[in-house]
Amino acid sequence: MSIAGIGVVSGYGWSREQLWQGVMGGKPAARLYPGYGPDRDQHAWVGRVPDGGDPAHGRSLFGRAVHAAAVEAVADAEARGWRRDGRTVGLVHAFTLGDVADWRDFYLVDHGHRRSRDYLRLLPSTPISVVMQEFGFHGPAMNVSAACSSGTAGLLTAKMWRDAGLVDDVLCIATDISATPDMLEHFVRLGAAVADADPFTACRPFQDDTLGFTIAEASAAFLLSDAVDTPYARILGGAMTNDAFHVVSVEPTHTQLIACARRALTVAGIDAADVRYVNAHATGTRQCDAAERAVLTAVFGDRPVITALKPLTGHCQGASAAVEVAVIALSYERGIAVSAPVMAPAHPRLLDGPAPMTGGFTVKLSMGMGGNNGAVVLGPA
């Protein structure tokens, strides 16, 4: 299955080109915002999506971001030769928390009372219904959630639908607009997120002195189809496993994460020696670093180049894998592998900023709370 079109809303702005220019420029998407901290009297480094989108799709930033990413991905695919006529198109929407800001207002501002038409936009079925109606798609449409590996779950669900003959093509979207003061406060308390240090100080995956991640937001969409003249990249296969260990902590032997990477390679039909790049989940937390270092050694013999994007994009939670797959796909098209600049002593295979991409396969690793592990294998078109 090929990535035929891409649409992105991120902390860099409302298009895939703004995402690409942002990561290529080596500048983090996050900036300082007021109103954070336990008493809401502090500034915090957050990669928030700036206000934008089509007001016709409501006051909710979440709904506008879903719609904008979808529209851009479909238009991109059409510009590359895709035609929807006569094709069964499904929609998978991956997310973790949904429209947290609007739910907060529903309870605290509206006290549970609002017009029915305004209440409906809170329901997870509404954003995908709006997109299905706009494009006249009639394949299956549903939401999936696997914490911070939700984007991977969405892509693999889409591929399973196509492999099962349920659809010809799939519009896959992953969205997380949850970098609110309420959410960030608890991620900081958990020891995972860092709010009071700039991203390059806080988030140093595979490097010394890393502290954790900068929280961020995004919506990324892919039109997945083989009926296109010039796709970005191919999705060869993947796998998911679960640690069945803890609601937050990573299982210390990393058995299931390693098994997930190996199973993904088997499903994709390639050998570990053929993998040129590993795009790590790379949150910059010590548990994540230890787990992914174990995978790199046990599965890949520490051969591939490691790319890490979260110091730039921030950790976009349920949309993080999708944002990073978007960068990988653009990298294949443009011949440039992208990674954040290295700021401290690092793993010897960690890429330091952009570099020419030499082709080959890429494994995208994902990890999510609740023990969710994911791996997707991508290759050049």
Side-chain angles (χ1 to χ4, degrees):
M1 201 169 199
S2 296
I3 297 175
I6 301 172
V8 180
V9 174
S10 71
Y12 290 114
W14 288 68
S15 73
R16 66 181 174 276
E17 288 302 325
Q18 285 172 292
L19 169 68
W20 179 254
Q21 293 302 322
V23 296
M24 282 292 293
K27 182 179 180 181
R31 63 182 182 88
L32 280 170
Y33 287 93
Y36 285 82
D39 297 318
R40 309 299 185 255
D41 59 351
Q42 300 173 14
H43 283 71
W45 287 95
V46 183
R48 280 168 41 174
V49 165
D51 195 28
D54 187 348
H57 291 91
R59 71 183 188 187
S60 164
L61 186 65
F62 184 94
R64 297 200 307 271
V66 172
H67 179 264
V71 167
E72 186 181 28
V74 172
D76 186 27
E78 289 176 334
R80 292 168 175 270
W82 181 74
R83 297 293 178 265
R84 73 189 79 171
D85 295 342
R87 302 186 69 80
T88 300
V89 183
L91 191 157
V92 178
H93 185 211
F95 69 94
T96 301
L97 292 171
D99 195 345
V100 296
D102 208 16
W103 274 109
R104 178 194 58 204
D105 290 349
F106 175 69
Y107 286 110
L108 299 182
V109 178
D110 299 338
H111 305 292
H113 304 291
R114 60 170 57 173
R115 294 182 305 172
S116 293
R117 61 182 294 181
D118 293 328
Y119 168 74
L120 288 174
R121 70 170 178 259
L122 289 167
L123 304 181
S125 57
T126 296
I128 61 176
S129 176
V130 169
V131 173
M132 294 293 280
Q133 292 174 54
E134 174 156 344
F135 293 109
F137 296 159
H138 296 286
M142 73 177 200
N143 298 288
V144 299
S145 183
C148 298
S149 61
S150 294
T152 298
L155 289 168
L156 294 181
T157 299
K159 192 171 187 307
M160 285 189 290
W161 283 0
R162 208 285 303 272
D163 291 348
L166 298 176
V167 297
D168 298 309
D169 310 312
V170 183
L171 179 60
C172 181
I173 313 169
T175 308
D176 199 299
I177 310 292
S178 68
T180 64
D182 320 70
M183 296 297 123
L184 179 56
E185 177 183 346
H186 291 284
F187 276 107
V188 170
R189 287 181 177 179
L190 286 168
V194 178
D196 59 355
D198 70 88
F200 286 161
T201 300
C203 187
R204 296 178 175 182
F206 303 102
Q207 302 168 62
D208 292 352
D209 302 321
T210 187
L211 301 174
F213 60 77
T214 302
I215 198 169
E217 300 175 328
S219 183
F222 306 96
L223 197 291
L224 304 172
S225 174
D226 290 323
V228 66
D229 299 332
T230 53
Y232 288 93
R234 292 182 298 142
I235 297 175
L236 287 80
M240 298 191 74
T241 62
N242 192 280
D243 289 345
F245 172 73
H246 193 272
V247 296
V248 178
S249 296
V250 178
E251 194 276 314
T253 70
H254 312 126
T255 301
Q256 296 305 318
L257 182 60
I258 291 169
C260 182
R262 286 177 170 153
R263 190 172 302 165
L265 295 174
T266 299
V267 172
I270 67 169
D271 295 326
D274 297 326
V275 174
R276 174 62 178 161
Y277 298 93
V278 171
N279 178 260
H281 188 57
T283 60
T285 63
R286 290 180 175 85
Q287 285 195 55
C288 183
D289 259 23
E292 294 194 290
R293 284 175 184 264
V295 174
L296 289 163
T297 300
V299 180
F300 301 103
D302 289 316
R303 287 183 300 270
V305 174
I306 305 166
T307 61
L309 290 166
K310 284 183 177 65
L312 293 168
T313 63
H315 190 350
C316 301
Q317 306 294 308
S320 62
V323 169
E324 291 157 15
V325 167
V327 174
I328 295 166
L330 290 165
S331 294
Y332 274 117
E333 183 199 47
R334 300 172 187 194
I336 304 173
V338 184
S339 189
V342 172
M343 309 302 293
H347 190 294
R349 300 298 291 160
L350 180 63
L351 185 64
D352 184 5
M357 193 169 193
T358 57
F361 298 111
T362 299
V363 172
K364 166 64 196 140
L365 297 177
S366 298
M367 300 169 66
M369 287 197 298
N372 290 292
N373 305 308
V376 175
V377 183
L378 300 104

